[in-house]
Amino acid sequence: LEKKMKKNKVSIIIPVYNAEKFIGETIESVISQTYTDWEMLILNDRSTDSSYEIIQKYAQKDKRIKAIDSEKNIGVVEGRNRLIDEADGEYIAFLDADDYWKEDKLKKQIEFMKKENAAISCTEYTRVTEEGKPINEIKIKEEITYRDLLKNNYLGCLTVIYNAGKLGKRYFKERDKNEDYVLWLEIVKDTGKIHGLKENLAFYRVLNKSRSSNKIDAAKVRWRIYRDVEKLSLFQAAYYFINYVIIALKKTK
């Protein structure tokens, strides 16, 4: 049954697995938003630490927070999809359990999307250490096309908002990595461009043992996306792969 979509409301999608160290700060960053028409959908994916207790404490205090306890471990892709199913906001926003936002993120981004009539947008963000110390800032372009996106995944998942009123609900496909990138590629083919708000509004925590840390694995995943998902010719794939490598090397400097 399709839920009735509530205009101007933002549904924030947060899958959680063993994030007791950070989830409080993540939730607080949403509660302190200057834009108040939101719901926070949090899925506890069978955490073995106290994540769920922390989430429940917040949910009891604020009725905009909905805590869902998964009966089995389903992983981040299915977890996000399940929350998208539950969402009733016109806008779908993503935040992971260890990342956090500046307090005017939603207000600025929703205003920007309305002004630009954007179906999907992203912002700039800061990469920080586990302790929250800045590492570097990720800059984006004002308009990101399909070709731009093939060269570089400009979209930090924690900054993305899409308008489900315009696009319908969009779901992630099950992949071992980069499922978000594959979804952005799908969407940009429909919209023609992704709007970039050139303002730094979020913090992405680089964990010591993150899913995306191994560079060689990441490169292999990217190549498979070019060839198997996007069906690029060998020549096209090589061209975009070289661009990807150059940009990736610049990023880590």
Side-chain angles (χ1 to χ4, degrees), residues 11-15 76-77 80-81 84 92-101 105-106 109 120-127 138 140 149 153-162 170-172 178-184 187 194 201-205 211-212 251:
S11 296
I12 302 153
I13 306 299
I14 309 180
V76 65
V77 176
R80 281 193 194 129
N81 286 345
I84 292 168
I92 306 276
F94 300 98
L95 186 58
D96 282 342
D98 40 27
D99 302 332
Y100 51 106
W101 290 342
K105 185 213 186 250
L106 287 181
Q109 199 168 354
I120 180 170
S121 75
C122 61
T123 77
E124 299 184 335
Y125 62 97
T126 303
R127 292 167 79 244
I138 302 299
I140 55 171
L149 200 53
N153 183 8
Y154 287 97
L155 285 67
C157 193
L158 72 159
T159 77
V160 174
I161 298 180
Y162 73 74
R170 293 302 189 89
Y171 297 90
F172 296 89
N178 281 155
E179 64 289 327
D180 54 340
Y181 180 52
V182 171
L183 180 59
W184 317 145
I187 292 175
I194 290 160
L201 295 172
F203 299 92
Y204 173 84
R205 216 185 286 268
R211 218 160 60 107
S212 52
K251 254 189 215 168

Side-chain angles (χ1 to χ4, degrees), residues 179-211:
E179 64 289 327
D180 54 340
Y181 180 52
V182 171
L183 180 59
W184 317 145
L185 286 165
E186 253 175 49
I187 292 175
V188 76
K189 280 185 275 196
D190 291 342
T191 61
K193 66 182 173 202
I194 290 160
H195 288 78
L197 172 53
K198 287 187 67 59
E199 214 174 312
N200 192 315
L201 295 172
F203 299 92
Y204 173 84
R205 216 185 286 268
V206 179
L207 302 181
N208 300 334
K209 47 176 198 305
S210 79
R211 218 160 60 107

Side-chain angles (χ1 to χ4, degrees), residues 228-245:
D228 306 344
V229 182
E230 297 306 307
K231 305 278 189 260
L232 299 182
S233 71
L234 201 55
F235 177 76
Q236 285 173 311
Y239 168 76
Y240 286 112
F241 188 76
I242 290 163
N243 276 280
Y244 156 74
V245 170

Side-chain angles (χ1 to χ4, degrees), residues 8-232:
N8 297 320
K9 185 176 181 179
V10 182
S11 296
I12 302 153
I13 306 299
I14 309 180
V16 175
Y17 178 71
N18 288 356
E20 64 180 4
K21 225 166 121 184
F22 308 117
I23 186 62
E25 192 176 355
T26 301
I27 294 171
E28 298 272 357
S29 82
V30 176
I31 293 171
S32 61
Q33 289 297 307
T34 53
Y35 188 96
T36 54
D37 190 3
W38 51 259
E39 62 172 352
M40 200 181 335
L41 300 164
I42 311 177
L43 180 88
N44 174 49
D45 197 16
R46 302 313 293 164
S47 296
T48 54
D49 64 5
S50 63
S51 295
Y52 192 53
E53 288 72 42
I54 297 167
I55 296 160
Q56 276 182 308
K57 221 179 281 168
Y58 282 103
Q60 280 153 12
K61 280 190 277 196
D62 192 324
K63 62 179 193 313
R64 295 171 297 176
I65 301 170
K66 298 180 177 67
I68 298 163
D69 200 18
S70 183
E71 41 302 321
K72 60 179 204 291
N73 182 275
I74 56 179
V76 65
V77 176
E78 209 183 311
R80 281 193 194 129
N81 286 345
R82 187 167 157 193
L83 294 176
I84 292 168
D85 262 339
E86 294 283 331
D88 66 8
E90 177 182 11
Y91 296 95
I92 306 276
F94 300 98
L95 186 58
D96 282 342
D98 40 27
D99 302 332
Y100 51 106
W101 290 342
K102 290 189 181 169
E103 60 186 23
D104 51 359
K105 185 213 186 250
L106 287 181
K107 183 174 186 291
K108 284 182 169 168
Q109 199 168 354
I110 298 299
E111 278 171 7
F112 169 77
M113 288 180 77
K114 287 183 170 171
K115 186 173 118 271
E116 298 293 335
N117 197 17
I120 180 170
S121 75
C122 61
T123 77
E124 299 184 335
Y125 62 97
T126 303
R127 292 167 79 244
V128 297
T129 63
E130 285 199 5
E131 299 69 43
K133 291 192 177 66
I135 300 170
N136 61 344
E137 294 196 8
I138 302 299
K139 303 282 185 202
I140 55 171
K141 302 173 72 155
E142 275 173 22
E143 289 190 355
I144 301 157
T145 64
Y146 176 63
R147 295 188 59 174
D148 292 327
L149 200 53
L150 285 173
K151 289 178 188 171
N152 179 32
N153 183 8
Y154 287 97
L155 285 67
C157 193
L158 72 159
T159 77
V160 174
I161 298 180
Y162 73 74
N163 184 324
K166 289 186 197 295
L167 293 172
K169 286 186 174 181
R170 293 302 189 89
Y171 297 90
F172 296 89
K173 294 195 170 59
E174 197 58 71
R175 296 188 64 80
D176 50 354
K177 281 193 183 117
N178 281 155
E179 64 289 327
D180 54 340
Y181 180 52
V182 171
L183 180 59
W184 317 145
L185 286 165
E186 253 175 49
I187 292 175
V188 76
K189 280 185 275 196
D190 291 342
T191 61
K193 66 182 173 202
I194 290 160
H195 288 78
L197 172 53
K198 287 187 67 59
E199 214 174 312
N200 192 315
L201 295 172
F203 299 92
Y204 173 84
R205 216 185 286 268
V206 179
L207 302 181
N208 300 334
K209 47 176 198 305
S210 79
R211 218 160 60 107
S212 52
S213 58
N214 187 326
K215 301 284 178 286
I216 289 162
D217 275 358
K220 283 183 187 158
V221 168
R222 181 63 65 105
W223 180 258
R224 284 206 302 274
I225 289 171
Y226 290 153
R227 294 289 283 154
D228 306 344
V229 182
E230 297 306 307
K231 305 278 189 260
L232 299 182

